[in-house]
Amino acid sequence: MVTNRMSPENVENFIHEHLKEDLRVYERQLIELNAEMMEYVQLKNMIETIVGQEEGEGFKTQVNIGGNMFMKARADNADRMLVDVGLKVYVEFTKEEALRFVEMKIKVLTKQASIVRDKSIETRANIKLALLVIGDTQRLHTSYDER
């Protein structure tokens, strides 16, 4: 006999209130991590471009001044640069130090995304398992009623 705690209604409530909410949180975290990772990949590409230039040779760029409004800018000396290391804290790095930091940050974000992705997969599996439990209990009830 099915206990009241494992009734199909309770299992469905658990799926909707807990598991699906967890899944939404994990998906949101993945989106945020992937967006941050893409920013660091773009920064890495820019730093690699700057490293490939000759010493003392500046470069032209466009700077976002807010509201997706851009202004032309020229950097005459790109030997040192400010990099956002998190929480809107900027640290001055040489080109090589900045490149090492960005590569390390990409590895950390990739690892974090992998962990969140694994949790998401586990939650999806738990949802499927819970739905199988509901289906099995309903089949047990119908086969028991037929006897």
Side-chain angles (χ1 to χ4, degrees), residues 26-38 109:
Y26 294 144
E27 295 299 324
R28 204 172 313 120
Q29 287 176 345
L30 268 176
I31 290 169
E32 290 170 3
L33 285 170
N34 286 333
E36 188 175 358
M37 206 178 326
M38 287 306 299
L109 290 171

Side-chain angles (χ1 to χ4, degrees), residues 24-133:
R24 276 190 284 277
V25 168
Y26 294 144
E27 295 299 324
R28 204 172 313 120
Q29 287 176 345
L30 268 176
I31 290 169
E32 290 170 3
L33 285 170
N34 286 333
E36 188 175 358
M37 206 178 326
M38 287 306 299
E39 288 178 13
Y40 278 106
V41 168
Q42 289 174 346
L43 179 60
K44 179 183 174 190
N45 291 337
M46 187 187 82
I47 292 171
E48 287 173 342
T49 302
I50 293 171
V51 168
Q53 293 179 341
E54 294 179 21
E55 283 292 318
E57 182 181 326
F59 64 95
K60 292 180 182 178
T61 186
Q62 291 186 345
V63 178
N64 187 349
I65 57 173
N68 279 335
M69 306 253 323
F70 291 86
M71 186 171 101
K72 290 182 180 180
R74 175 166 175 75
D76 294 326
N77 185 358
D79 293 335
R80 299 192 150 281
M81 57 189 70
L82 294 174
V83 177
D84 183 358
V85 295
L87 300 175
K88 300 296 180 197
V89 174
Y90 291 83
V91 175
E92 186 175 341
F93 287 118
T94 64
K95 293 184 275 191
E96 293 77 17
E97 290 171 339
L99 190 56
R100 275 188 306 212
F101 171 78
V102 169
E103 288 172 346
M104 182 267 315
K105 188 71 172 180
I106 290 170
K107 286 180 186 176
V108 168
L109 290 171
T110 302
K111 181 67 176 169
Q112 288 176 341
S114 175
I115 291 169
V116 172
R117 197 172 296 112
D118 289 345
K119 287 180 181 179
S120 174
I121 290 169
E122 182 181 337
T123 303
R124 286 178 197 269
N126 287 338
I127 290 171
K128 286 182 181 181
L129 182 64
L131 291 173
L132 284 173
V133 166

